[in-house]
Amino acid sequence: QVQLVESGGGLVQPGGSLRLSCVASGSTFSIYTMGWYRQAPGKQRELVAIITNDGSTNYAESVLGRFTISRDNAKNTMYLQMNSLKPKDTAVYYCSAQRLGFIISWGQGAQVTVSS
């Protein structure tokens, strides 16, 4: 079973940037499709971006052009670079590991707050 730990959240002003990291342990990181999800207060968890084990990416329309997902298999780490942040991006961000179409592990979550 893979364990995931996020870091890099915090408070940022509108228009600012943050980079989230997700470090995996306990299993072979490179075989998993990895994803970032977020959940705002009172809302359902939603997909932000995913990256397959061969580096193909997909993004939610709301973050396209502002967020970039990447991974470094040698470091067992996935990243989410978030630029031009907006108040509506405020949420708890979770990383996930997927295998054969199923999410098998979640991180503990990282709070991102965009506010002036």
Side-chain angles (χ1 to χ4, degrees):
Q1 184 76 345
V2 60
Q3 291 83 45
L4 305 174
V5 178
E6 301 102 334
S7 62
L11 173 64
V12 63
Q13 292 186 342
S17 298
L18 281 175
R19 188 176 80 157
L20 301 179
S21 299
C22 173
V23 178
S25 62
S27 187
T28 305
F29 176 74
S30 61
I31 68 173
Y32 297 107
T33 289
M34 301 296 294
W36 288 101
Y37 290 74
R38 67 186 180 186
Q39 188 166 18
K43 295 187 176 181
Q44 289 188 330
R45 192 171 298 189
E46 64 177 2
L47 175 67
V48 176
I50 59 172
I51 183 166
T52 65
N53 57 356
D54 65 358
S56 298
T57 59
N58 196 17
Y59 295 90
E61 187 173 343
S62 60
V63 306
L64 197 61
R66 300 188 298 123
F67 291 11
T68 302
I69 189 171
S70 62
R71 66 191 294 165
D72 184 338
N73 289 340
K75 296 182 177 179
N76 289 353
T77 303
M78 173 181 65
Y79 305 97
L80 184 68
Q81 177 66 43
M82 304 183 291
N83 298 329
S84 302
L85 282 160
K86 305 175 181 180
K88 66 180 182 179
D89 294 317
T90 296
V92 177
Y93 284 70
Y94 299 89
C95 67
S96 69
Q98 305 178 36
R99 184 73 174 146
L100 301 177
F102 295 94
I103 294 176
I104 61 168
S105 186
W106 291 99
Q108 83 286 358
Q111 177 68 49
V112 172
T113 302
V114 185
S115 175
S116 55

